[in-house]
Amino acid sequence: MTQSPTGSTPQEAEDFLALHPSIEAFDIVLHDANGIGRGKIIRRHELMGLYKGGRHLPISILGLDIVGEDVHETGLIWDQGDGDLRAWPIPGTLKALHGTNPPRGEVLMSMYHLDGALMTSDPRHALARQVQAMADEGLYPAGAFELEFFLLDPDTTQGVRPAAAVLDGRRSDWTEVYSVDHLHGMEPLFSDIYRAAEAMGIKAETVISEYAPGQYELTLHYRTDVMQAADDLVRLKRIVRLQARRHGVTACFMAKPIEKYAGSGMHFHVSLCDATGRNIFAEEVEGIWTDTIRHAIGGLRQTMGEAMLVFAPHGNSWRRFVGQSYAPVSPSWGVNNRSVALRIPAGDIKARRIEHRPSGVDANPYLVAATVLAGIRHGLKHRIDPGPETTGNGYAGDDALQIPRDWREAIEAATASEFLKDALGEDMHRTFTAIKAAEHGRVARWIADVDYALYLHNV
């Protein structure tokens, strides 16, 4: 097959090369089940070939665990002879990278079979499937992710600690939440992040000092295309990581890197429009919620337990869910309340949306968005009542619905879930749950330092 199934054309590459004569190489990036960008760096003269015929990549690239090891249980390794499939460029994603020397570009890719059929263990296809299902029902989701992360000292010999300010080397071990002056110390780094985002066409907006030493949050502009919202998030993570390295600090996207402080979330704000562009979550009288938003919340609440593995995919993810931590511990919902899992933010009725708060920043945004949209569709189809709103302290409530207690329970619930199989598609569901089971086995076999601290001399 020589015609791109993504709709990309050689003309896009030709125009880009003419506009950027100094660029020497390109990162070609395909995202796996964990949301990790995998691919190659190609030279300038190879770009036209990429757009004319795609690029062969091994099928196993989508069957890797978090450290890049094969997971045979996915069925994507020797069951397939680890043959090549073909990755194609995503239209509109060919961009210049900021601050590279020599100059380099980047393009996002998606995987297909050699005959052009979808390779359905590619997370992008899982999200595209849910977007299309909504479109078939006359519904059009819009949304944006929030990016929380830590900037840490790359020298860990004294433990994990916040990075010193890149401006003057000053270090603070205090929380510094919402401190504007504290942000000034990282101003050179954030300036480069904003420049790099602009070069990518990403509208990175507000930056704040978050609720832990060394923790920050960047917000992203709302997109009418949730696929673009997910693209924004994965690209912004790469930008933050690269620019942090250039400034001598480590960007950390673990959900819970420091025991005694809050972890990092990846809240997903989502609204729903009809064919005219009207936000059907918006109520006519403020505070009198539409059936649409209530049923959407009902579906998200009912499916959250079996879907939690998507929102908290790693062992470390589950350390984030503790009381009084701004991370939800039950599938509760509420209005203008940051202690719940599903929040209706205050603000203009026309911008009415659901803030989905369970996901850690370590989650795959394509799978998160696909699962959230599927949960909304489930709620609308079955007209699910969300139950009473949580008011006040959501950590003090006793919700009738529960989420798994730990990673292992989440893997078991996800593996058995018909909802999640439908949300992700059968192939993506098998691939994702097999990878998570393999990673759990790796962690379970690991003898951690705490074992020696507690038991070496005491049992």
Side-chain angles (χ1 to χ4, degrees):
M1 181 176 183
T2 57
Q3 184 174 355
S4 171
T6 67
S8 61
T9 65
Q11 189 65 51
E12 181 181 358
E14 189 174 321
D15 292 345
F16 187 90
L17 291 172
L19 188 62
H20 300 277
S22 64
I23 287 183
E24 297 184 10
F26 296 87
D27 297 359
I28 62 171
V29 184
L30 181 146
H31 290 91
D32 69 8
N34 277 312
I36 294 174
R38 302 195 186 274
K40 302 181 178 184
I41 298 178
I42 64 173
R43 306 305 295 170
R44 179 184 179 90
H45 69 270
E46 298 179 272
L47 186 68
M48 288 304 301
L50 179 74
Y51 274 78
K52 289 178 179 179
R55 185 81 178 209
H56 285 125
L57 291 174
I59 191 173
S60 58
I61 201 171
L62 293 174
L64 304 177
D65 69 8
I66 192 69
V67 294
E69 298 282 355
D70 289 343
V71 177
H72 301 284
E73 293 81 1
T74 62
L76 301 180
I77 318 297
W78 301 122
D79 290 6
Q80 309 284 335
D82 196 19
D84 281 344
L85 299 184
R86 189 171 289 169
W88 289 90
I90 304 301
T93 66
L94 180 58
K95 303 290 182 180
L97 289 169
H98 169 72
T100 53
N101 184 24
R104 213 166 70 246
E106 178 186 274
V107 61
L108 300 185
M109 309 287 288
S110 194
M111 190 77 94
Y112 292 80
H113 290 282
L114 297 181
D115 63 359
L118 299 177
M119 199 295 159
T120 46
S121 288
D122 182 330
R124 288 186 67 92
H125 295 322
L127 176 52
R129 180 171 167 270
Q130 288 300 327
V131 170
Q132 184 59 54
M134 280 200 154
D136 292 343
E137 297 163 2
L139 301 173
Y140 303 90
F145 289 93
E146 297 174 7
L147 181 68
E148 295 179 357
F149 57 94
F150 282 79
L151 294 176
L152 302 176
D153 192 324
D155 181 2
T156 58
T157 57
Q158 299 183 55
V160 175
R161 58 179 184 163
V166 299
L167 186 64
D168 57 12
R170 293 175 57 188
R171 187 188 309 278
S172 173
D173 292 317
W174 300 105
T175 299
E176 305 281 9
V177 66
Y178 283 98
S179 169
V180 177
D181 288 346
H182 179 66
L183 291 175
H184 291 169
M186 292 294 181
E187 184 178 36
L189 169 54
F190 281 110
S191 293
D192 275 335
I193 289 171
Y194 281 119
R195 291 190 190 101
E198 184 178 5
M200 287 281 181
I202 297 170
K203 296 182 179 179
E205 297 185 329
T206 305
V207 60
I208 66 171
S209 179
E210 257 291 357
Y211 195 61
Q215 188 185 37
Y216 301 86
E217 178 189 278
L218 275 167
T219 61
L220 286 158
H221 187 71
Y222 219 67
R223 296 290 197 180
T224 55
D225 178 353
V226 294
M227 184 70 78
Q228 193 171 24
D231 287 345
D232 284 351
L233 194 284
V234 294
R235 297 190 107 162
L236 188 58
K237 283 179 74 171
R238 294 189 77 232
I239 286 169
V240 171
R241 183 178 284 116
L242 174 59
Q243 297 305 325
R245 290 177 72 179
R246 292 186 180 279
H247 284 272
V249 302
T250 297
C252 175
F253 299 104
M254 291 173 63
K256 182 77 168 182
I258 301 175
E259 176 189 353
K260 62 182 179 179
Y261 293 110
S264 292
M266 189 181 71
H267 304 159
F268 180 39
H269 294 252
V270 60
S271 55
L272 203 56
C273 296
D274 61 17
T276 70
R278 180 179 65 91
N279 181 1
I280 61 175
F281 281 170
E283 67 271 26
E284 292 186 9
V285 178
E286 187 168 3
I288 307 300
W289 311 117
T290 64
D291 285 345
T292 307
I293 199 169
R294 284 179 51 80
H295 294 152
I297 291 171
L300 291 171
R301 289 194 71 225
Q302 188 176 94
T303 59
M304 190 176 295
E306 55 198 297
M308 276 301 297
L309 185 63
V310 171
F311 312 139
H314 308 294
N316 178 260
S317 308
W318 291 85
R319 301 187 189 282
R320 177 172 160 259
F321 300 111
V322 294
Q324 326 301 322
S325 66
Y326 294 97
V329 295
S330 69
S332 53
W333 78 279
V335 181
N336 195 22
N337 186 337
R338 287 183 171 84
S339 66
V340 298
L342 303 165
R343 172 179 176 246
I344 299 179
D348 189 342
I349 289 176
K350 290 181 290 186
R352 188 63 71 216
R353 63 195 185 277
I354 298 169
E355 180 187 10
H356 185 273
R357 296 174 59 83
S359 296
V361 75
D362 55 344
N364 182 331
Y366 299 107
L367 299 186
V368 168
T371 305
V372 168
L373 296 187
I376 290 172
R377 290 181 57 230
H378 178 78
L380 297 181
K381 178 181 178 180
H382 298 286
R383 301 182 63 82
I384 298 173
D385 190 306
E389 170 195 347
T390 295
T391 58
N393 184 359
Y395 296 109
D398 184 17
D399 201 308
L401 296 173
Q402 298 294 322
I403 62 174
R405 292 172 295 180
D406 55 32
W407 193 24
R408 179 176 178 176
E409 281 192 8
I411 292 170
E412 292 171 349
T415 301
S417 172
E418 291 300 320
F419 162 77
L420 196 60
K421 186 180 294 185
D422 180 67
L424 302 182
E426 188 170 344
D427 289 339
M428 187 71 250
H429 175 266
R430 182 194 66 250
T431 299
F432 180 67
T433 54
I435 288 170
K436 294 297 107 182
E439 290 175 353
H440 179 273
R442 177 191 291 269
V443 172
R445 292 189 298 270
W446 195 301
I447 300 177
D449 288 346
V450 68
D451 284 19
Y452 295 112
L454 293 178
Y455 310 123
L456 179 61
H457 300 293
N458 295 321
V459 295

